[in-house]
Amino acid sequence: RLQESRERLSVCSKLCYAVGGAPYQITGCALGFFLQIYLLDVAQLDPFSASIILFVGRAWDAVTDPMVGFFITKTSWTRFGRLMPWIIFSTPFAVISYFLIWFVPDISRGQVVWYLVFYCIFQTLVTCFHVPYSALTMFISREQSERDSATAYRMTVEVLGTVLGTAIQGQIVGKAVTPCIESPLFIGKANSSVAMEELNMTHDTGSLTDTRNAYMIAAGVIGGLYVLCAVVLSVGVREKRESSELQSDEPVSFFQGLKLVMNHGAYIKLIAGFLFTSLAFMLLEGNFALFCTYTLGFRNEFQNVLLAIMLSATLTIPLWQWFLTRFGKKMAVYVGISSAIPFLIMVAVLDSNLIVTYIVAVAAGISVAAAFLLPWSMLPDVIDDFKLQHPDSHGHEAIFFSFYVFFTKFTSGVSLGISTLSLDFAGYQTRGCSQPSDVNFTLKMLVSAVPVGLILLGLLLFKLYPIDEEKRRKNKKALQDLR
């Protein structure tokens, strides 16, 4: 009991730790919800080029996670810790590159290269922040209950970060109406009609400039929050080297550790289950703005619908934290994530109705909260299980967290690239006020049928996950004895 008392974290420490999770979610939410529609309708790139940027950027982001994890394992301890220097030094460069993603360069050629380069640079730098921050969970306390509590604080703030990202980006950008162009009804238009369309495009130039400025203002506000959160984290959290070490620890090389991690059955089964469920929500996130704008016809309301989803998710994080402590984490997975299925079906089947859309958004947010909380709450349990099976091996926390993120990001990059390409094949019209019926049907599939199938597959695979509540309690007792 004395040892447990020493390992307890103050509420202030948990809050400072939780604040550190906000930058990744604020920027990730803004990019996830708005980058696709920004590239298509504001930067005016064709769908094929936009798909290349989204796929390569996400795939590169995935590759950087194990790379950063490798370099972290080679980093020596300093008076600030081993993880904290990565967080501190990556922050200012990440903020600069993030701002440049939302800037439209005045160049006739090379826009694709511009966005691709700065998107990849930002993803690298935010990985240098987020991988060590994720691994920091194992270095703030040795007590499972304290880590779970800190993770609940973190998930609450992270979902609040998605609310901030959605609110800041959506409300600032929403005030500037992005101009659209009516598609001609017939190919053979009269010269007078063509002249009228050119006049409309000239008239829309000012509005498009206002929209571009709004995106840059939003990027500046989000960049300021990024810096503020990094300062709070670095000042308010102390990295404890002894929190992750056992009495018999001896160093093992990165590649030996990687082989051990990838052979750990509980970890692979956890990844397999959450890979598909996370992919479902990422597909929904990436295409929801286009779906609301064109399929549902809520061009001026989509940012408020997104905000309703994120607010609902934020408010229900404490509910899921209580649920998993009362009924177990596996039960929380089944109940929480599957609850999104009927609402995803409803939004695609029912006719366009704003009230119904808001109801569905609030209900879907409850499931989003579970999808946010549970993976990060369960990864420490897998690491504890690994330590019992390999008591002479330590320092692999970054590998566990970075490769989990690697698999989810890489598959999300593939899915977003394919989904944007599918819109191109369906005949997506850049800056169109409306889209062809094939595009609307494709968007329905991308936010309803495909995510539902992925969720069902993920839940089936999750039945193989071996760590239930009884196993978790036994692991906790065995680790205390080993220490």
Side-chain angles (χ1 to χ4, degrees):
R1 286 196 296 269
L2 180 61
Q3 181 63 33
E4 289 181 2
S5 176
R6 291 173 179 172
E7 291 291 335
R8 290 188 187 279
L9 298 172
S10 66
V11 173
C12 181
S13 296
K14 292 177 184 178
L15 285 173
C16 290
Y17 166 74
V19 165
Y24 181 79
Q25 296 300 337
I26 293 173
T27 56
C29 188
L31 289 168
F33 279 127
F34 292 92
L35 184 59
Q36 186 183 48
I37 197 169
Y38 168 81
L39 293 175
L40 292 173
D41 289 354
V42 180
Q44 299 183 49
L45 301 180
D46 61 89
F48 178 77
S49 298
S51 69
I52 294 298
I53 293 169
L54 292 171
F55 166 69
V56 175
R58 286 291 187 107
W60 174 250
D61 185 22
V63 171
T64 57
D65 283 282
M67 288 172 54
V68 171
F70 169 77
F71 288 117
I72 287 174
T73 62
K74 299 298 182 183
T75 303
S76 301
W77 281 85
T78 67
R79 66 189 184 95
F80 300 106
R82 188 174 70 177
L83 304 174
M84 202 63 75
W86 285 81
I87 294 170
I88 295 170
F89 292 115
S90 65
T91 294
F93 302 103
V95 170
I96 293 171
S97 59
Y98 177 79
F99 180 82
L100 293 175
I101 292 173
W102 303 103
F103 174 76
V104 180
D106 189 17
I107 51 178
S108 57
R109 294 182 179 181
Q111 279 193 339
V112 174
V113 176
W114 173 280
Y115 291 114
L116 189 57
V117 167
F118 284 109
Y119 190 28
C120 290
I121 290 174
F122 172 73
Q123 297 289 22
T124 303
L125 292 167
V126 79
T127 298
C128 292
F129 183 106
H130 191 249
V131 169
Y133 172 74
S134 299
L136 191 61
T137 308
M138 303 302 298
F139 291 88
I140 56 176
S141 177
R142 286 188 293 196
E143 283 299 310
Q144 285 184 353
S145 58
E146 291 300 297
R147 294 201 304 254
D148 285 347
S149 177
T151 299
Y153 276 79
R154 171 191 167 186
M155 290 302 107
T156 303
V157 173
E158 285 198 3
V159 178
L160 182 60
T162 65
V163 173
L164 284 173
T166 306
I168 293 169
Q169 191 86 3
Q171 298 304 314
I172 293 177
V173 171
K175 293 183 183 302
V177 179
T178 304
C180 62
I181 302 171
E182 292 289 350
S183 301
L185 296 176
F186 304 100
I187 297 176
K189 295 286 283 183
N191 289 337
S192 59
S193 298
V194 174
M196 182 61 69
E197 184 177 331
E198 290 177 354
L199 179 62
N200 288 338
M201 292 179 66
T202 304
H203 176 72
D204 286 340
T205 302
S207 298
L208 187 59
T209 301
D210 293 341
T211 303
R212 291 173 175 176
N213 290 337
Y215 272 99
M216 286 190 288
I217 292 171
V221 174
I222 289 174
L225 286 175
Y226 193 119
V227 173
L228 178 63
C229 292
V231 171
V232 171
L233 174 66
S234 59
V235 171
V237 176
R238 186 172 70 89
E239 187 178 343
K240 302 175 183 178
R241 183 174 185 174
E242 68 277 4
S243 291
S244 182
E245 294 182 349
L246 301 176
Q247 292 177 354
S248 56
D249 280 340
E250 293 179 3
V252 177
S253 73
F254 173 83
F255 292 104
Q256 288 176 312
L258 179 59
K259 183 178 179 180
L260 290 172
V261 167
M262 290 304 164
N263 286 329
H264 189 58
Y267 181 61
I268 298 301
K269 291 166 185 174
L270 184 74
I271 286 179
F274 278 120
L275 184 64
F276 292 99
T277 56
S278 300
L279 189 54
F281 288 104
M282 288 178 183
L283 261 181
L284 183 65
E285 176 188 70
N287 294 282
F288 198 76
L290 291 173
F291 176 74
C292 282
T293 300
Y294 295 113
T295 305
L296 299 181
F298 304 139
R299 176 177 290 273
N300 298 323
E301 287 287 336
F302 78 87
Q303 67 270 15
N304 297 324
V305 176
L306 297 178
L307 188 58
I309 295 175
M310 295 298 111
L311 279 172
S312 173
T314 303
L315 295 175
T316 50
I317 282 282
L319 168 66
W320 289 117
Q321 176 64 17
W322 169 84
F323 189 96
L324 67 86
T325 56
R326 178 69 176 82
F327 299 101
K329 297 179 182 180
K330 287 189 72 171
M331 181 60 70
V333 170
Y334 296 133
V335 174
I337 296 179
S338 64
S339 64
I341 293 176
F343 300 104
L344 292 177
I345 295 173
M346 187 185 301
V347 76
V349 172
L350 297 180
D351 293 333
S352 177
N353 183 293
L354 187 58
I355 296 175
V356 172
T357 302
Y358 273 110
I359 294 172
V360 170
V362 171
I366 298 173
S367 187
V368 169
F372 263 88
L373 173 64
L374 290 164
W376 301 110
S377 179
M378 297 169 80
L379 270 172
D381 299 337
V382 173
I383 297 174
D384 286 343
D385 187 66
F386 175 85
K387 287 180 178 179
L388 283 176
Q389 296 185 28
H390 305 280
D392 295 328
S393 182
H394 72 93
H396 307 310
E397 293 81 10
I399 298 176
F400 277 97
F401 285 95
S402 63
F403 271 89
Y404 168 74
V405 177
F406 165 78
F407 287 117
T408 55
K409 284 182 178 178
F410 186 82
T411 52
S412 72
V414 173
S415 67
L416 282 177
I418 292 174
S419 66
T420 310
L421 273 179
S422 65
L423 293 176
D424 189 19
F425 294 144
Y428 182 87
Q429 301 293 319
T430 301
R431 289 183 62 198
C433 293
S434 60
Q435 296 294 338
S437 59
D438 288 345
V439 172
N440 291 327
F441 176 78
T442 302
L443 286 170
K444 280 188 177 182
M445 293 297 102
L446 291 174
V447 302
S448 179
V450 178
V452 166
L454 291 170
I455 288 173
L456 291 174
L457 181 57
L459 293 178
L460 285 174
L461 290 171
F462 203 82
K463 290 185 70 68
L464 302 174
Y465 179 67
I467 303 178
D468 54 16
E469 288 306 296
E470 182 180 357
K471 174 77 169 174
R472 199 165 71 93
R473 285 192 292 268
K474 289 181 179 179
N475 285 351
K476 176 182 178 181
K477 177 65 168 59
L479 276 174
Q480 289 175 339
D481 294 341
L482 192 58
R483 288 190 177 109

